[in-house]
Amino acid sequence: MKGSRDGLSAMSGTLPHFLQEPDDAYIVKSNPIKLRCRARPALQIFFKCNGEWVHQNQHTSLEHTELGTGLKIREVMINVSRQQVEDFHGPEDYWCLCVAWSHLGTSKSRKATVRIAYLRKNFEQEPQGMEVPINGMIVLHCRPPEGVPAAEVEWLKNEELVSSIEDINIDTRADHNLIINEARLSDSGNYTCLASNIVARRRSATATVIVFVNGGWSSWTDWSECNVRCGRGVQKRTRTCTNPAPLNGGAFCEGMSVQKSTCTSPCPVDGGWAEWTMWSVCSSECERQRTRECTDPEPKHGGRLCDGVALDTDNCTGDLCIQDRKLLHDVKVPQADMDSNNDVALYSGLAAGVVTVVVLVIALTLYRRNQSEYGVDVIDSSALTGGFQSFSFKSARQGNPLLMNSSMQPDLTVSRTYTGPICFPDSMEKELIPEPALFDPLPDLKDKVHSSFMVSLGVSERAEYHAKVPSQTFPRGVVQEIGGGGGTLGGRGKSQLAPVQPALVSSMTTGKRPLRTNGVFGHGGGRLVVPNAGVSLLVPHGAIEEDTTWELYMSITQQDSSALSDEGQEILLSPEVTYGPPGLTLSCPVALTIAHCADVSSEDWNIKLKRQAQDNSWEEVMTVEEESTACYCLLDTQCCHLLVERPGCYALVGEALTQAAGKRLRLAAFGNMEPNFLNYSIRVYCVNDTPHAFQEVVSVERGRGGRLLEEPKTLLFRANSFNLQVSIQDIPQFLWSIKPFTTCQEFSFTQVWCSSQSPLQCAFSLERYSPAANQLSCKISVRQVKGHEQILQVYTTIAESEKDTVPFFTQSDCTITSQTGSRAFKIPLSIRQRICATFDTANAKGKDWQLLAQKLHIDRNLGYFARQTSPSAVILSLWEAQHQERGDLDSLASALEEIGKVQSKHSTSADTLDHISKTIPSSDSIMNRSSEELDTNHT
């Protein structure tokens, strides 16, 4: 007992030890909180709050003795109200601690803070809705409202709790944000950030998350069969945007769903019989046999088999075989009868031989006589030169008459000339004197003159030439008077010429009225052109019936096009050209040539020919690459040559199949002084690269008194959705100034790509510091963003004469817009008729006109020619339209010579073709001879 009392005395002599210290507490609303403190051994325990002792009356004390040790354990509690905390204004939070006493001294507990709990309403950052691709990362940010204690954050998806424990793809631990590492379609939904503490719970605005799927292309299908059964055509393959299909607003597949490729289908070859074999030995049944094979040629590619039999039998005894089927010489007969029969056979053979020789001699004589007459007809030089005309020009000015006087030669590396038909030379017997032009020539600039006009700009210059009026050439504005007011002249040459109003109505003087020209044509055919527009009409010889004449017209629509589809993917590639009259009846197709601006060097276009119906709606006639029997289309680099049979309004429209598709733009810069004589205006035009489109620019600048500052150039504009930028550079800083932020201007892609009739224009206004500054040099850059660029170099002198005179735009008139008869054609009529007679006739080698088309590179859509009465005549008309400017007869002669070599040696057509090719004179000799004749006539 004594030892136990000693132990208790020892423990009671220690400092107090706190068994429970006061904890931090939060006052929610107006509810007070309790602070507890317990220690042993403790004689007294008091709370001290904010450095002051709490009154003893506010303490609640409990005391008991611990079993085993006998030590006194004291527990004390106090209440802290909201009012107490709010009334405290110290530098720290409201705090309290316990102080316990024992026999040896005191001990202090930790400080416990007391704070008023709250949670504000507004989130500091709420999650935002977003759209993410599948497998992308989703990050939703959330910063909860300010609160005490700090709010905890949870996430709800469609009102269900999101757990990062159940889904390892979700992470909610990073600074209250919700992170989904790889988005799945199932992750789409409405997400809410939920913030809560002991006081309240707050919800953020709902953020909608959409997981989308971008479309992906499936594999290409196999190539389709060639769309033509004979010749060159197109085959296609397709793919679909289903791997995967776009979902939830995902992007559609980029690129084209259709690929086109050229293909060649071998033409069917009908079978032909080879020669019979020799007769076999007479059989025991008194018969002999011979055979032949279908190998000359063998039927190929679906061609027809040979008609007739392959086995031929014959009685080898002259039907004298005896009844027991034994041969005649096996029967025993008197020797005299046998000798008599042998004599009869001998004389019969001699008689047959004589008859055969006589027939061969007669046939050879007739053939030689026929060849003699044919040769005289073809070699007649008057027949050869009757279909050609040419003119010798003495250039009134060197260089381009549109250019201003300058000492710096522009870059002409990319310039080119139009070789399409613009106008005919005025054949009136006169000498044209050069008129003063607005644009002085550029020194040392020499252009090759292809005809009586400067086609490089679609604007003519005055040229000096001498020519005699042909008997069947009609000047513009003079037409034959039509009896009865009808479209057909009732005939036999009784119609009279009478002056009428000019037939050519230009939009330059009449706004948007159609550009129109007309001419009178008869059985001899002819050619009609719209000057400076790249449009012409070829009426073949014989297309109009004899003793009948028609007044034909052509016009170009100047208004906005209505030929485009409502889908907005098509653009106009050519002017809308109309020819008529509507009641025109012809025996063969006419060749209509229309200039276009498409870049046809690759298979990136789907080009269609459209025709305007009677209700003014547009119907598709054909796709250029597909086979059609209603129309034929030959697409060259700059022109499209059509064989059409129905009068009407035609236009070429195109749809880009890939972003590599492009169209040509023609760029030109004009300038002139402004009325204050200090500012100089430079205008840059971008138009479709066709002669007709450039005439719109010519019309505008004529009215403004503009001067061409540089040779127009060509820019390839791609269908890649990028804009066109025009900027002016290298302006002399000490002589000229330009307003800030005006040195670069931009056309949107849609403006440039969809422009057709109206030219695009941007202007730069330069101000000179002194009137003495009369030199201007700068560069104009025209470029497509991420595409091609073209530089227009400007170097000009500001003439003092501009202050006194208003410049005018000069252009020589094309007074001849139609030609009739043989002079309108390159191929003489006699040679044309011989070629048609040779190739339209079928022989053992098949249809020779197909070979003619192949050698003239017109080897597609052969079914169109097959339905014509004379396929060769239609092919030659198309060749005439294609070569109307060059007149390259050497290529035609070479083609005929090549065909002659292909034909078999024993074929008479080979000799005929060789003779025709030799009788076709060279182009140079014809042009030289025509020029000499014209000079002689003038003298």
Side-chain angles (χ1 to χ4, degrees), residues 722-737:
F722 290 106
N723 296 346
L724 186 72
Q725 294 180 346
V726 183
S727 61
I728 186 168
Q729 307 168 2
D730 299 341
I731 302 173
Q733 298 181 357
F734 300 100
L735 299 177
W736 296 85
S737 66

Side-chain angles (χ1 to χ4, degrees), residues 412-670:
L412 301 180
T413 56
V414 296
S415 64
R416 72 171 183 277
T417 60
Y418 287 107
T419 56
I422 306 297
C423 63
F424 294 110
D426 187 346
S427 299
M428 297 298 181
E429 187 174 353
K430 61 183 179 180
E431 178 175 348
L432 298 180
I433 305 302
E435 297 179 0
L438 165 63
F439 301 114
D440 298 329
L442 190 69
D444 300 326
L445 180 63
K446 298 181 179 179
D447 293 339
K448 181 178 179 181
V449 181
H450 294 285
S451 183
S452 64
F453 48 88
M454 290 297 296
V455 293
S456 63
L457 299 174
V459 180
S460 307
E461 70 165 328
R462 287 291 186 180
E464 183 180 28
Y465 62 91
H466 316 284
K468 186 175 181 179
V469 146
S471 58
Q472 288 182 294
T473 301
F474 297 93
R476 184 186 66 178
V478 180
V479 298
Q480 294 186 3
E481 186 169 297
I482 303 174
T488 304
L489 297 181
R492 301 190 183 277
K494 295 182 179 180
S495 58
Q496 298 178 351
L497 292 175
V500 296
Q501 295 297 326
L504 183 62
V505 182
S506 172
S507 64
M508 303 171 188
T509 57
T510 58
K512 289 294 183 180
R513 295 175 60 188
L515 195 66
R516 180 184 174 97
T517 184
N518 60 0
V520 178
F521 298 87
H523 183 71
R527 195 188 304 271
L528 184 66
V529 302
V530 178
N532 305 319
V535 176
S536 70
L537 182 71
L538 180 72
V539 182
H541 174 84
I544 300 176
E545 296 181 358
E546 291 184 342
D547 300 330
T548 302
T549 53
W550 282 90
E551 182 183 20
L552 273 62
Y553 69 85
M554 273 199 311
S555 64
I556 298 178
T557 304
Q558 300 287 90
Q559 300 174 353
D560 292 336
S561 174
S562 60
L564 305 179
S565 64
D566 296 332
E567 299 177 358
Q569 298 179 350
E570 295 179 347
I571 64 172
L572 192 66
L573 298 176
S574 74
E576 297 176 8
V577 178
T578 304
Y579 88 94
L584 179 65
T585 57
L586 301 173
S587 61
C588 62
V590 297
L592 178 63
T593 298
I594 306 176
H596 68 81
C597 64
D599 175 31
V600 295
S601 58
S602 59
E603 296 287 335
D604 298 313
W605 280 103
N606 181 23
I607 300 178
K608 302 176 183 178
L609 176 66
K610 289 192 173 183
R611 183 180 183 274
Q612 193 171 26
Q614 293 182 352
D615 59 352
N616 292 330
S617 64
W618 286 84
E619 57 187 11
E620 180 179 337
V621 179
M622 64 176 295
T623 299
V624 171
E625 296 177 347
E626 295 181 354
E627 186 173 305
S628 172
T629 57
C631 181
Y632 190 96
C633 180
L634 179 61
L635 196 64
D636 281 346
T637 304
Q638 298 178 21
C639 294
C640 181
H641 308 285
L642 306 173
L643 292 175
V644 291
E645 302 176 8
R646 297 175 55 191
C649 185
Y650 293 88
L652 284 177
V653 299
E655 177 184 358
L657 299 180
T658 68
Q659 292 187 356
K663 73 171 186 176
R664 303 186 312 275
L665 298 180
R666 197 158 178 82
L667 313 175
F670 291 81

Side-chain angles (χ1 to χ4, degrees), residues 247-284:
L247 292 176
N248 297 336
F252 197 78
C253 302
E254 294 183 0
M256 295 300 168
S257 61
V258 180
Q259 270 190 353
K260 293 185 178 182
S261 176
T262 57
C263 56
T264 303
S265 296
C267 296
V269 178
D270 296 337
W273 288 114
E275 298 293 336
W276 288 100
T277 61
M278 300 294 293
W279 286 104
S280 64
V281 178
C282 198
S283 67
S284 59

Side-chain angles (χ1 to χ4, degrees), residues 913-928:
L913 292 175
D914 182 66
H915 193 57
I916 293 176
S917 64
K918 291 180 180 179
T919 56
I920 296 180
S922 67
S923 302
D924 293 337
S925 63
I926 291 177
M927 295 303 178
N928 293 336

Side-chain angles (χ1 to χ4, degrees), residues 102-121:
S102 69
H103 292 287
L104 294 182
T106 61
S107 296
K108 294 181 179 180
S109 70
R110 64 178 292 274
K111 285 184 178 181
T113 59
V114 179
R115 304 174 67 184
I116 299 175
Y118 67 92
L119 184 64
R120 301 193 184 279
K121 293 183 178 181

Side-chain angles (χ1 to χ4, degrees), residues 791-826:
I791 299 294
L792 297 176
Q793 178 68 56
V794 176
Y795 186 83
T796 182
T797 300
I798 311 301
E800 293 297 328
S801 59
E802 289 185 14
K803 301 179 181 180
D804 304 323
T805 61
V806 178
F808 60 93
F809 201 100
T810 61
Q811 175 185 3
S812 63
D813 295 328
C814 286
T815 57
I816 300 300
T817 60
S818 65
Q819 282 187 324
T820 60
S822 60
R823 297 184 64 84
F825 303 97
K826 305 299 179 184

